[in-house]
Amino acid sequence: MKLPNGSLKLTNKPIVVLLCGLWLLGCAAIPKLSKQDKETIKYVTKHSLPEVIIGETGFASSQGHQIWFERQKPSENIKGSVVLIMGNGNDALTWPQSFISPLVNQGYEVIRFDHRGTGLSISEEKWNRKKPYTLNDMANDVVAILDALGLQKAHIVGVSMGGMIAQIVAIEHPERTISLTSIMSSGDVMDPDLSPMSDAVFPQMVSAVLRHGLFGGKKGQIKRQIVHRRILMGRATGEIDVRTMAETSLYNLKRRNGYNIMAARHHYTAIQLAGSRYSALGELTIPTLIIHGAEDPVMPISHGKKLVSVLPNADSLWVKNMGHDLPDAAMKTITDKMVLHFGKGSK
């Protein structure tokens, strides 16, 4: 039956009101920025930025993608190389310098890079939803970086999606992997026997984008980053270095390509296509370290414990008061454990 002229508009009004109400409700549920947070952001936007990229930079060619990387070296003899792989939708600068410096100070050169679709990495072709790239393809990006730098092998470290990619590097390229460190990650995100992601996380992340990321300009993007960090902390408590986060975010917006929200969708598709790695992980013989936060709302700690049960040569670090992030308070505990782990792989 065809509706009279104007009926559709009247019929849709309650839907519009409902959607607006849901949007406002969602925005109200996200963490609030304090007055001090806002003052810090304002200060950062009005003053000169520190240099965030302090190492050697370059590009690695991988399957039609030019993958940007940074290499930070110790001042004296290099004990080994460490490749850091970030999570879904994030670029190299998401790795805090407070995580990198302790490893460099212990004699390791550290390499971080921009995932496909993020930062300064360049794709020659548009993402194809009918033939999307996979986590295995993204693992090839890591190998391409090793090739570009002339490195035969490295300690492979990844967080969240990056942990899944690190696992694949170890599985498919054991000859290039000295050791594996998988942080807040999973061997099978769809494992029906394990706890799922908190129902509150995704709506909150979307709400943060709606409130701060769409029309707020550079300040809005900085606010979104900080709010997202607090959402990912879950029930964990602790201070965030807002100034450093704001400086890094503004650096990304002013001197790099900013943030590509669609990259997260592409990466999520790759995660969905990945399947289980339990069987292949059970065949690994290299030293493996599993690190997980007890309060992780995205990848519950049961995923980390399942990995330890599957891997034949796994050590673990369960961090209290840690969500789905790298908290400043736990940084030394985490990096100290990693340095000990690297030593096992080098023997």
Side-chain angles (χ1 to χ4, degrees):
M1 181 177 71
K2 185 177 179 180
L3 293 172
N5 290 340
S7 297
L8 185 59
K9 292 181 181 178
L10 291 171
T11 304
N12 280 346
K13 280 184 178 180
I15 298 175
V16 172
V17 172
L18 176 61
L19 290 174
C20 289
L22 289 173
W23 180 79
L24 290 171
L25 180 62
C27 286
I30 65 175
K32 300 291 192 301
L33 291 165
S34 69
K35 182 179 179 181
Q36 184 177 352
D37 291 341
K38 294 175 183 178
E39 288 176 352
T40 300
I41 294 169
K42 184 178 179 180
Y43 174 87
V44 167
T45 58
K46 292 184 178 296
H47 290 77
S48 58
L49 289 170
E51 183 55 56
V52 175
I53 307 299
I54 60 176
E56 303 170 3
T57 64
F59 288 89
S61 180
S62 178
Q63 301 177 333
H65 299 267
Q66 296 300 313
I67 307 298
W68 180 93
F69 62 81
E70 181 200 24
R71 181 189 207 180
Q72 295 187 28
K73 292 183 178 181
S75 56
E76 298 180 356
N77 294 336
I78 298 175
K79 293 181 180 177
S81 304
V82 179
V83 179
L84 304 180
I85 312 173
M86 193 26 78
N88 184 352
N90 290 298
D91 61 21
L93 300 193
T94 311
W95 288 102
Q97 192 60 40
S98 58
F99 183 92
I100 297 170
S101 292
L103 305 181
V104 175
N105 292 341
Q106 288 295 320
Y108 293 93
E109 66 170 354
V110 177
I111 300 137
R112 58 179 176 173
F113 66 96
D114 291 334
H115 278 306
R116 300 179 179 198
T118 73
L120 296 178
S121 289
I122 303 166
S123 300
E124 296 174 4
E125 297 181 1
K126 290 185 177 181
W127 184 77
N128 187 341
R129 66 181 180 85
K130 293 183 178 179
K131 192 178 179 182
Y133 56 73
T134 65
L135 293 185
N136 297 70
D137 294 323
M138 298 176 80
N140 288 333
D141 297 344
V142 177
V143 176
I145 292 170
L146 294 179
D147 290 342
L149 291 172
L151 298 174
Q152 180 56 40
K153 55 177 61 178
H155 300 280
I156 308 299
V157 179
V159 300
S160 195
M161 178 190 75
M164 303 172 202
I165 295 170
Q167 294 164 25
I168 294 171
V169 174
I171 291 167
E172 296 192 343
H173 306 278
E175 76 287 355
R176 311 298 295 270
T177 309
I178 303 172
S179 71
L180 166 66
T181 302
S182 180
I183 307 173
M184 53 180 123
S185 194
S186 174
D188 181 2
V189 294
M190 304 303 290
D191 189 331
D193 296 327
L194 302 181
S195 302
M197 178 176 71
S198 167
D199 292 337
V201 172
F202 181 72
Q204 286 181 319
M205 297 291 276
V206 172
S207 294
V209 173
L210 292 173
R211 173 170 282 192
H212 299 298
L214 292 182
F215 308 110
K218 290 183 174 63
K219 284 185 181 179
Q221 289 289 348
I222 295 169
K223 291 176 181 178
R224 177 185 65 80
Q225 291 280 317
I226 295 167
V227 171
H228 274 179
R229 172 77 180 274
R230 290 205 166 110
I231 292 168
L232 294 176
M233 287 173 65
R235 294 181 297 179
T237 58
E239 296 297 321
I240 292 175
D241 185 349
V242 172
R243 178 166 174 172
T244 299
M245 280 196 69
E247 289 172 343
T248 303
S249 295
L250 190 58
Y251 185 98
N252 227 344
L253 293 164
K254 282 188 170 183
R255 302 187 189 177
R256 289 165 41 96
N257 291 336
Y259 299 100
N260 176 12
I261 197 168
M262 292 305 295
R265 174 195 171 195
H266 302 163
H267 296 170
Y268 183 64
T269 299
I271 292 170
Q272 288 181 306
L273 294 172
S276 173
R277 290 172 296 281
Y278 291 148
S279 178
L281 288 170
E283 301 297 320
L284 287 183
T285 58
I286 59 169
T288 303
L289 174 61
I290 305 301
I291 301 174
H292 219 111
E295 304 295 340
D296 194 328
V298 175
M299 203 76 67
I301 196 170
S302 57
H303 287 261
K305 292 184 176 181
K306 179 69 173 280
L307 281 171
V308 172
S309 72
V310 167
L311 289 155
N313 191 15
D315 193 3
S316 63
L317 175 63
W318 313 128
V319 185
K320 295 179 180 178
N321 201 34
M322 171 176 160
H324 198 71
D325 71 329
L326 295 168
D328 296 333
M331 205 69 77
K332 187 177 188 306
T333 300
I334 292 171
T335 54
D336 283 354
K337 183 72 171 180
M338 288 173 59
V339 169
L340 289 173
H341 170 62
F342 295 160
K344 295 177 184 178
S346 300
K347 292 178 180 179

